[in-house]
Protein backbone atom coordinates (compact mmCIF):
# COMPACT_ATOMS: atom_id res chain seq x y z
CA UNK A 1 0.00 0.00 0.00
CA UNK A 2 1.35 3.40 -0.92
CA UNK A 3 2.29 5.74 1.90
CA UNK A 4 -0.34 8.24 0.88
CA UNK A 5 -3.05 5.62 0.95
CA UNK A 6 -2.14 5.13 4.58
CA UNK A 7 -2.42 8.87 5.11
CA UNK A 8 -5.79 8.89 3.42
CA UNK A 9 -7.04 6.08 5.61
CA UNK A 10 -5.78 7.83 8.73
CA UNK A 11 -7.48 11.04 7.66
CA UNK A 12 -10.73 9.21 7.07
CA UNK A 13 -10.64 7.69 10.54
CA UNK A 14 -10.01 11.09 12.09
CA UNK A 15 -12.84 12.69 10.17
CA UNK A 16 -15.29 10.00 11.21
CA UNK A 17 -14.19 10.24 14.83
CA UNK A 18 -14.63 14.00 14.78
CA UNK A 19 -18.18 13.57 13.57
CA UNK A 20 -17.69 16.18 10.86
CA UNK A 21 -18.64 14.04 7.92
CA UNK A 22 -21.36 15.52 5.78
CA UNK A 23 -21.73 12.73 3.29
CA UNK A 24 -25.14 11.22 2.78
CA UNK A 25 -24.27 8.65 0.15
CA UNK A 26 -22.39 5.39 0.45
CA UNK A 27 -19.85 6.37 -2.17
CA UNK A 28 -17.99 9.47 -3.28
CA UNK A 29 -17.85 10.01 -7.04
CA UNK A 30 -14.79 11.52 -8.67
CA UNK A 31 -14.82 12.75 -12.27
CA UNK A 32 -11.96 11.70 -14.55
CA UNK A 33 -11.53 13.85 -17.66
CA UNK A 34 -9.14 12.23 -20.13
CA UNK A 35 -9.00 11.51 -23.88
CA UNK A 36 -9.90 7.84 -24.32
CA UNK A 37 -10.52 8.23 -28.05
CA UNK A 38 -8.73 10.19 -30.75
CA UNK A 39 -5.06 10.72 -31.51
CA UNK A 40 -4.04 11.09 -27.85
CA UNK A 41 -6.08 8.15 -26.55
CA UNK A 42 -2.96 6.28 -25.48
CA UNK A 43 -2.13 9.03 -23.01
CA UNK A 44 -5.73 9.25 -21.83
CA UNK A 45 -6.17 5.54 -21.17
CA UNK A 46 -2.88 5.55 -19.31
CA UNK A 47 -4.13 8.39 -17.11
CA UNK A 48 -7.43 6.59 -16.47
CA UNK A 49 -5.51 3.46 -15.50
CA UNK A 50 -3.43 5.45 -13.00
CA UNK A 51 -6.58 6.89 -11.42
CA UNK A 52 -8.02 3.40 -11.15
CA UNK A 53 -4.92 2.15 -9.31
CA UNK A 54 -5.11 5.07 -6.89
CA UNK A 55 -8.82 4.52 -6.38
CA UNK A 56 -8.33 0.84 -5.59
CA UNK A 57 -5.52 1.58 -3.14
CA UNK A 58 -7.56 4.26 -1.39
CA UNK A 59 -10.63 2.05 -1.15
CA UNK A 60 -8.55 -0.89 0.11
CA UNK A 61 -7.21 1.40 2.84
CA UNK A 62 -10.71 2.32 4.03
CA UNK A 63 -11.85 4.85 1.47
CA UNK A 64 -12.37 8.56 1.99
CA UNK A 65 -14.45 9.77 4.91
CA UNK A 66 -15.38 6.11 5.32
CA UNK A 67 -16.83 5.97 1.82
CA UNK A 68 -15.63 4.13 -1.26
CA UNK A 69 -14.50 6.19 -4.22
CA UNK A 70 -16.08 5.65 -7.61
CA UNK A 71 -15.01 7.08 -10.98
CA UNK A 72 -17.05 8.89 -13.61
CA UNK A 73 -14.94 8.94 -16.77
CA UNK A 74 -15.54 11.61 -19.39
CA UNK A 75 -13.83 11.25 -22.77
CA UNK A 76 -12.42 14.61 -23.81
CA UNK A 77 -11.01 13.14 -27.07
CA UNK A 78 -8.49 16.02 -26.99
CA UNK A 79 -11.23 18.09 -28.61
CA UNK A 80 -12.72 21.27 -27.09
CA UNK A 81 -16.36 20.48 -27.88
CA UNK A 82 -16.17 16.85 -26.83
CA UNK A 83 -14.35 17.94 -23.71
CA UNK A 84 -17.20 20.32 -22.84
CA UNK A 85 -19.61 17.42 -23.27
CA UNK A 86 -17.43 15.24 -21.06
CA UNK A 87 -17.22 17.87 -18.31
CA UNK A 88 -20.99 18.44 -18.47
CA UNK A 89 -21.54 14.71 -18.05
CA UNK A 90 -19.15 14.59 -15.11
CA UNK A 91 -20.69 17.47 -13.16
CA UNK A 92 -24.19 16.06 -13.79
CA UNK A 93 -23.17 12.95 -11.83
CA UNK A 94 -22.81 14.91 -8.56
CA UNK A 95 -19.08 14.36 -8.37
CA UNK A 96 -17.20 15.72 -5.37
CA UNK A 97 -14.15 16.58 -7.45
CA UNK A 98 -12.45 15.88 -10.75
CA UNK A 99 -8.98 14.90 -11.92
CA UNK A 100 -7.30 14.71 -15.31
CA UNK A 101 -7.04 17.13 -18.19
CA UNK A 102 -4.56 16.29 -20.93
CA UNK A 103 -4.75 18.50 -24.03
CA UNK A 104 -4.75 22.09 -22.83
CA UNK A 105 -7.02 23.22 -25.65
CA UNK A 106 -9.61 20.68 -24.56
CA UNK A 107 -9.19 21.46 -20.87
CA UNK A 108 -9.53 25.23 -21.31
CA UNK A 109 -13.32 25.41 -22.02
CA UNK A 110 -14.11 22.99 -19.20
CA UNK A 111 -12.77 25.34 -16.53
CA UNK A 112 -15.95 27.40 -16.63
CA UNK A 113 -18.11 24.28 -16.36
CA UNK A 114 -16.30 23.02 -13.29
CA UNK A 115 -16.16 26.56 -11.93
CA UNK A 116 -19.89 27.19 -12.35
CA UNK A 117 -20.61 23.84 -10.67
CA UNK A 118 -18.01 24.63 -7.96
CA UNK A 119 -16.26 21.29 -8.50
CA UNK A 120 -12.61 21.16 -7.35
CA UNK A 121 -10.50 20.09 -10.34
CA UNK A 122 -6.95 18.74 -10.05
CA UNK A 123 -5.35 19.16 -13.50
CA UNK A 124 -2.68 16.53 -13.90
CA UNK A 125 -1.18 17.07 -17.38
CA UNK A 126 -2.47 20.18 -19.21
CA UNK A 127 0.01 22.98 -18.66
CA UNK A 128 -0.67 25.85 -21.06
CA UNK A 129 -0.32 29.21 -19.35
CA UNK A 130 -3.65 30.11 -21.00
CA UNK A 131 -5.30 28.00 -18.30
CA UNK A 132 -4.09 30.32 -15.55
CA UNK A 133 -6.24 33.42 -16.24
CA UNK A 134 -9.21 31.20 -17.21
CA UNK A 135 -9.16 29.40 -13.86
CA UNK A 136 -12.19 30.47 -11.74
CA UNK A 137 -10.23 29.39 -8.66
CA UNK A 138 -11.33 25.79 -8.30
CA UNK A 139 -8.62 24.25 -10.54
CA UNK A 140 -5.19 23.19 -9.26
CA UNK A 141 -2.38 22.39 -11.72
CA UNK A 142 0.14 19.77 -10.54
CA UNK A 143 2.20 19.73 -13.75
CA UNK A 144 4.57 22.62 -14.29
CA UNK A 145 3.37 25.24 -16.73
CA UNK A 146 4.67 26.11 -20.19
CA UNK A 147 6.80 29.02 -19.04
CA UNK A 148 8.81 26.64 -16.87
CA UNK A 149 9.25 24.34 -19.87
CA UNK A 150 10.41 27.22 -22.06
CA UNK A 151 12.98 28.14 -19.42
CA UNK A 152 14.26 24.55 -19.32
CA UNK A 153 14.46 24.47 -23.13
CA UNK A 154 16.48 27.67 -23.27
CA UNK A 155 18.86 26.51 -20.53
CA UNK A 156 19.45 23.12 -22.13
CA UNK A 157 19.75 24.18 -25.77
CA UNK A 158 22.05 27.06 -24.82
CA UNK A 159 24.26 24.57 -22.98
CA UNK A 160 24.53 22.62 -26.24
CA UNK A 161 25.86 25.65 -28.06
CA UNK A 162 22.65 26.29 -29.99
CA UNK A 163 22.23 29.91 -31.11
CA UNK A 164 19.70 29.64 -33.96
CA UNK A 165 16.40 27.85 -33.43
CA UNK A 166 13.41 26.84 -35.57
CA UNK A 167 10.14 26.44 -33.66
CA UNK A 168 7.16 24.48 -35.04
CA UNK A 169 3.71 24.32 -33.43
CA UNK A 170 0.14 23.36 -34.31
CA UNK A 171 -1.70 26.52 -33.32
CA UNK A 172 -3.61 25.01 -30.36
CA UNK A 173 -3.63 26.22 -26.77
CA UNK A 174 -0.81 23.93 -25.73
CA UNK A 175 1.62 23.99 -28.64
CA UNK A 176 1.08 27.65 -29.61
CA UNK A 177 1.49 28.72 -25.99
CA UNK A 178 4.72 26.76 -25.60
CA UNK A 179 6.02 27.99 -28.95
CA UNK A 180 5.33 31.63 -28.07
CA UNK A 181 6.91 31.26 -24.64
CA UNK A 182 9.98 29.52 -26.09
CA UNK A 183 10.38 32.15 -28.82
CA UNK A 184 10.22 34.98 -26.30
CA UNK A 185 12.57 33.31 -23.83
CA UNK A 186 15.00 32.38 -26.62
CA UNK A 187 15.23 35.90 -28.02
CA UNK A 188 15.43 37.42 -24.53
CA UNK A 189 18.46 35.17 -23.99
CA UNK A 190 20.11 36.88 -26.96
CA UNK A 191 19.58 34.11 -29.49
CA UNK A 192 17.87 34.03 -32.88
CA UNK A 193 14.64 32.31 -33.91
CA UNK A 194 15.30 31.55 -37.57
CA UNK A 195 11.94 29.98 -38.38
CA UNK A 196 8.57 30.05 -36.58
CA UNK A 197 6.02 27.78 -38.26
CA UNK A 198 2.45 26.71 -37.51
CA UNK A 199 1.23 23.49 -39.15
CA UNK A 200 -2.13 21.74 -39.23
CA UNK A 201 -2.89 18.91 -36.81
CA UNK A 202 -2.96 15.60 -38.68
CA UNK A 203 -0.65 16.82 -41.43
CA UNK A 204 1.08 13.99 -43.29
CA UNK A 205 3.39 15.92 -45.63
CA UNK A 206 5.78 18.36 -43.95
CA UNK A 207 7.84 19.05 -47.05
CA UNK A 208 7.02 22.78 -47.04
CA UNK A 209 8.11 23.36 -43.45
CA UNK A 210 11.12 21.07 -43.88
CA UNK A 211 12.20 23.10 -46.91
CA UNK A 212 11.75 26.32 -44.93
CA UNK A 213 13.83 25.00 -42.04
CA UNK A 214 16.59 23.66 -44.27
CA UNK A 215 16.84 26.99 -46.06
CA UNK A 216 17.74 28.65 -42.74
CA UNK A 217 19.68 25.60 -41.43
CA UNK A 218 19.24 26.45 -37.71
CA UNK A 219 21.30 24.76 -35.01
CA UNK A 220 18.16 23.13 -33.58
CA UNK A 221 14.45 22.52 -34.23
CA UNK A 222 11.92 22.60 -31.37
CA UNK A 223 8.61 20.81 -31.99
CA UNK A 224 6.11 21.99 -29.36
CA UNK A 225 3.06 19.82 -30.19
CA UNK A 226 2.09 16.17 -29.77
CA UNK A 227 4.00 12.97 -30.62
CA UNK A 228 1.64 11.54 -33.25
CA UNK A 229 2.49 14.31 -35.71
CA UNK A 230 5.89 15.10 -34.24
CA UNK A 231 7.20 11.67 -35.13
CA UNK A 232 6.38 12.30 -38.79
CA UNK A 233 8.07 15.69 -38.82
CA UNK A 234 11.20 14.28 -37.20
CA UNK A 235 11.38 11.46 -39.75
CA UNK A 236 10.93 13.83 -42.68
CA UNK A 237 13.51 16.27 -41.30
CA UNK A 238 16.13 13.52 -41.05
CA UNK A 239 15.20 12.09 -44.46
CA UNK A 240 15.81 15.55 -45.92
CA UNK A 241 19.33 15.54 -44.52
CA UNK A 242 18.84 17.95 -41.60
CA UNK A 243 21.58 17.18 -39.07
CA UNK A 244 20.98 19.70 -36.30
CA UNK A 245 19.54 19.05 -32.84
CA UNK A 246 15.84 18.14 -32.67
CA UNK A 247 13.96 18.72 -29.42
CA UNK A 248 10.31 18.16 -28.48
CA UNK A 249 8.03 19.32 -25.70
CA UNK A 250 6.30 17.18 -23.10
CA UNK A 251 3.40 16.51 -25.47
CA UNK A 252 5.77 14.27 -27.40
CA UNK A 253 7.41 12.40 -24.51
CA UNK A 254 5.56 9.18 -25.32
CA UNK A 255 7.67 6.18 -26.33
CA UNK A 256 5.29 5.87 -29.28
CA UNK A 257 7.21 8.75 -30.84
CA UNK A 258 9.88 6.21 -31.77
CA UNK A 259 7.37 3.89 -33.44
CA UNK A 260 6.49 6.76 -35.80
CA UNK A 261 9.89 8.42 -36.19
CA UNK A 262 11.85 5.17 -36.42
CA UNK A 263 15.61 5.59 -36.39
CA UNK A 264 15.15 9.32 -36.83
CA UNK A 265 14.13 9.43 -33.16
CA UNK A 266 17.66 8.61 -32.08
CA UNK A 267 19.24 11.57 -30.32
CA UNK A 268 16.03 13.58 -30.09
CA UNK A 269 15.73 15.49 -26.81
CA UNK A 270 12.46 15.89 -24.89
CA UNK A 271 11.58 18.34 -22.12
CA UNK A 272 9.41 16.21 -19.91
CA UNK A 273 7.41 16.03 -16.72
CA UNK A 274 8.61 13.31 -14.30
CA UNK A 275 7.92 9.84 -15.70
CA UNK A 276 7.71 6.64 -13.71
CA UNK A 277 10.89 4.87 -14.76
CA UNK A 278 13.02 7.78 -13.53
CA UNK A 279 11.24 8.15 -10.18
CA UNK A 280 12.84 6.06 -7.40
CA UNK A 281 9.58 6.09 -5.41
CA UNK A 282 7.58 4.68 -8.31
CA UNK A 283 8.85 1.09 -8.34
CA UNK A 284 5.79 -0.37 -6.59
CA UNK A 285 3.52 1.71 -8.80
CA UNK A 286 5.29 0.43 -11.93
CA UNK A 287 4.98 -3.16 -10.74
CA UNK A 288 1.28 -2.75 -9.98
CA UNK A 289 0.62 -1.05 -13.29
CA UNK A 290 2.55 -3.67 -15.26
CA UNK A 291 0.77 -6.55 -13.54
CA UNK A 292 -2.68 -5.02 -13.97
CA UNK A 293 -2.46 -3.71 -17.54
CA UNK A 294 0.37 -5.69 -19.11
CA UNK A 295 2.50 -2.71 -20.07
CA UNK A 296 4.56 0.01 -18.46
CA UNK A 297 2.87 3.20 -17.23
CA UNK A 298 2.98 6.09 -19.67
CA UNK A 299 4.44 9.56 -19.07
CA UNK A 300 1.44 11.07 -17.27
CA UNK A 301 0.55 8.09 -15.10
CA UNK A 302 2.51 9.22 -12.00
CA UNK A 303 1.09 12.75 -12.03
CA UNK A 304 -2.45 11.47 -12.54
CA UNK A 305 -2.04 8.89 -9.79
CA UNK A 306 -0.88 11.76 -7.57
CA UNK A 307 -3.87 13.85 -8.63
CA UNK A 308 -6.31 11.24 -7.36
CA UNK A 309 -4.36 10.74 -4.14
CA UNK A 310 -4.10 14.49 -3.59
CA UNK A 311 -7.82 14.99 -4.07
CA UNK A 312 -8.59 12.16 -1.65
CA UNK A 313 -6.17 13.68 0.86
CA UNK A 314 -7.87 17.07 0.50
CA UNK A 315 -11.36 15.64 1.04
CA UNK A 316 -10.19 13.94 4.19
CA UNK A 317 -8.45 17.08 5.38
CA UNK A 318 -11.60 19.08 4.69
CA UNK A 319 -13.55 16.55 6.75
CA UNK A 320 -16.51 16.82 4.39
CA UNK A 321 -17.43 16.91 0.73
CA UNK A 322 -18.02 20.67 0.85
CA UNK A 323 -16.35 22.07 -2.27
CA UNK A 324 -15.06 25.24 -0.64
CA UNK A 325 -13.50 23.25 2.20
CA UNK A 326 -11.83 20.89 -0.30
CA UNK A 327 -10.43 23.81 -2.31
CA UNK A 328 -9.07 25.32 0.89
CA UNK A 329 -7.43 22.00 1.74
CA UNK A 330 -5.89 21.71 -1.74
CA UNK A 331 -4.49 25.22 -1.50
CA UNK A 332 -2.90 24.29 1.82
CA UNK A 333 -0.70 21.55 0.30
CA UNK A 334 2.65 22.43 1.77
CA UNK A 335 5.21 20.51 -0.22
CA UNK A 336 4.75 16.98 1.08
CA UNK A 337 6.23 14.29 -1.14
CA UNK A 338 4.04 12.41 -3.59
CA UNK A 339 4.96 9.88 -6.24
CA UNK A 340 6.17 12.51 -8.75
CA UNK A 341 7.62 14.86 -6.14
CA UNK A 342 6.50 17.55 -3.71
CA UNK A 343 3.31 19.53 -4.29
CA UNK A 344 2.51 23.03 -3.17
CA UNK A 345 0.78 25.79 -5.08
CA UNK A 346 1.33 29.38 -6.05
CA UNK A 347 -1.38 31.97 -5.48
CA UNK A 348 -2.52 31.15 -9.02
CA UNK A 349 -2.98 27.45 -8.12
CA UNK A 350 -0.04 26.37 -10.28
CA UNK A 351 2.71 24.02 -9.11
CA UNK A 352 5.17 26.06 -7.09
CA UNK A 353 8.28 24.55 -8.70
CA UNK A 354 9.56 23.36 -12.06
CA UNK A 355 9.30 19.59 -12.52
CA UNK A 356 10.85 19.41 -16.00
CA UNK A 357 13.63 16.98 -16.81
CA UNK A 358 15.45 16.35 -20.11
CA UNK A 359 15.23 13.01 -21.91
CA UNK A 360 17.11 11.68 -24.93
CA UNK A 361 16.05 9.06 -27.45
CA UNK A 362 18.37 6.06 -27.45
CA UNK A 363 17.70 2.64 -28.99
CA UNK A 364 14.01 3.40 -29.37
CA UNK A 365 13.39 4.53 -25.79
CA UNK A 366 13.83 7.56 -23.56
CA UNK A 367 16.80 7.84 -21.22
CA UNK A 368 17.80 10.72 -18.95
CA UNK A 369 19.97 13.20 -20.78
CA UNK A 370 22.98 14.79 -19.20
CA UNK A 371 22.13 18.34 -18.11
Amino acid sequence: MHVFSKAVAAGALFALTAGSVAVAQDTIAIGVQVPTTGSEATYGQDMANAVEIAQEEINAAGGVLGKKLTMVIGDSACDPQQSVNAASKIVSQNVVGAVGGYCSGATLPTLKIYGDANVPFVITASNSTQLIPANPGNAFMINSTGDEQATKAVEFLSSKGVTTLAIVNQGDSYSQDLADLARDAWTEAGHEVSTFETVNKGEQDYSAVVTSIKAENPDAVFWTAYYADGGLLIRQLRQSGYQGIIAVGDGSNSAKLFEIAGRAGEGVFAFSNPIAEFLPAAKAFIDTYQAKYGNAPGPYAPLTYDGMQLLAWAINKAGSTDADAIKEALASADGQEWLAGPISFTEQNTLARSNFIVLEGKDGAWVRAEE
Side-chain angles (χ1 to χ4, degrees), residues 27-323:
T27 59
I28 293 176
I30 303 296
V32 182
Q33 179 182 305
V34 291
T36 55
T37 61
S39 61
E40 315 304 326
T42 300
Y43 276 123
Q45 188 58 57
D46 182 62
M47 294 166 70
N49 292 345
V51 171
E52 185 175 53
I53 290 174
Q55 175 207 22
E56 291 177 354
E57 290 180 358
I58 293 165
N59 285 343
V64 175
L65 304 179
K67 311 290 183 182
K68 298 293 186 185
L69 294 183
T70 62
M71 298 193 306
V72 178
I73 294 180
D75 175 18
S76 68
C78 206
D79 174 81
Q81 184 55 56
Q82 290 199 50
S83 194
V84 166
N85 296 339
S88 298
K89 168 193 168 183
I90 287 172
V91 300
S92 73
Q93 300 299 306
N94 296 318
V95 298
V96 170
V99 298
Y102 175 65
C103 296
S104 294
T107 302
L108 188 62
T110 69
L111 294 180
K112 185 176 189 311
I113 295 171
Y114 291 119
D116 289 348
N118 199 23
V119 172
F121 183 19
V122 179
I123 299 174
T124 58
S126 302
N127 61 2
S128 170
T129 58
Q130 294 180 10
L131 298 170
I132 299 171
N135 182 3
N138 60 299
F140 294 81
M141 301 172 68
I142 64 170
N143 190 18
S144 291
T145 47
D147 48 353
E148 299 283 4
Q149 183 168 188
T151 298
K152 173 63 77 174
V154 170
E155 291 175 350
F156 180 76
L157 293 174
S158 297
S159 74
K160 293 293 183 182
V162 173
T163 60
T164 55
L165 180 67
I167 301 174
V168 187
N169 72 91
Q170 290 187 314
D172 56 272
S173 293
Y174 160 68
S175 70
Q176 178 79 57
D177 180 65
L178 179 56
D180 290 344
L181 292 165
R183 178 195 56 202
D184 295 346
W186 190 250
T187 54
E188 287 173 8
H191 303 313
E192 177 187 351
V193 174
S194 62
T195 307
F196 190 89
E197 297 275 358
T198 301
V199 298
N200 295 323
K201 189 176 181 65
E203 187 70 63
Q204 297 295 304
D205 181 2
Y206 289 100
S207 57
V209 69
V210 167
T211 298
S212 175
I213 289 171
K214 284 203 68 183
E216 297 293 336
N217 196 28
D219 297 327
V221 176
F222 185 21
W223 167 256
T224 65
Y226 301 101
Y227 73 88
D229 295 334
L232 284 176
L233 175 63
I234 291 167
R235 192 168 67 194
Q236 293 177 28
L237 274 168
R238 291 304 190 210
Q239 287 172 342
S240 76
Y242 177 72
Q243 297 182 346
I245 291 173
I246 299 177
V248 299
D250 61 326
S252 291
N253 61 359
S254 169
K256 288 191 171 295
L257 179 88
F258 303 107
E259 297 178 11
I260 302 168
R263 293 290 302 172
E266 289 294 300
V268 168
F269 295 105
F271 309 111
S272 174
N273 53 283
I275 58 179
E277 62 191 287
F278 304 121
L279 292 169
K283 184 180 185 308
F285 172 74
I286 294 173
D287 291 345
T288 299
Y289 194 105
Q290 185 79 43
K292 187 174 180 63
Y293 302 109
N295 56 273
Y300 286 98
L303 280 173
T304 308
Y305 173 89
D306 282 353
M308 186 65 155
Q309 293 280 6
L310 177 69
L311 184 57
W313 168 84
I315 296 170
N316 273 321
K317 183 174 183 181
S320 79
T321 56
D322 177 76

